[in-house]
Amino acid sequence: GALHTLFAQIVSHPEETKFRRIRRDHVKFQQDIGRHEGGREVLIAAGFRCGAIDEVPCYLSSEPSIEKDMDGWSDWFNLLKA
């Protein structure tokens, strides 16, 4: 489903920030994930937070610095793969 695709893209391309920024008002997101409370809860559990980019409400996931916090990065990456 949509959540699997989202996390697969993040795991395949962890350096790509575009996969870690989800517009909450995007039609496709609302159809597939956003309209389901469980879908939103999965994003939060996976480390996404509510935020905004250019005043557009988004779910954002920040990748920990691999140079400064290898353990934190490994934990973050493993959580995405789970």
Side-chain angles (χ1 to χ4, degrees):
L3 283 172
H4 173 74
T5 300
L6 172 67
F7 289 115
Q9 289 173 330
I10 294 170
V11 169
S12 295
H13 309 284
E15 71 285 354
E16 291 284 343
T17 58
K18 68 181 180 181
F19 295 125
R20 298 190 316 266
R21 299 176 178 177
I22 304 165
R23 287 187 10 226
R24 292 187 304 204
D25 63 350
H26 191 276
V27 172
K28 187 72 171 150
F29 170 74
Q30 282 300 320
Q31 288 174 349
D32 294 344
I33 300 170
R35 66 187 176 105
H36 304 286
E37 184 177 350
R40 297 186 307 268
E41 289 174 349
V42 167
L43 292 177
I44 298 300
F48 281 82
R49 61 177 174 75
C50 293
I53 297 174
D54 297 328
E55 299 184 25
V56 175
C58 297
Y59 284 103
L60 306 167
S61 175
S62 299
E63 177 182 357
S65 170
I66 196 168
E67 291 87 16
K68 296 179 183 177
D69 185 9
M70 180 62 177
D71 290 337
W73 187 90
S74 293
D75 291 344
W76 170 81
F77 189 72
N78 288 332
L79 181 63
L80 292 174
K81 294 190 307 184

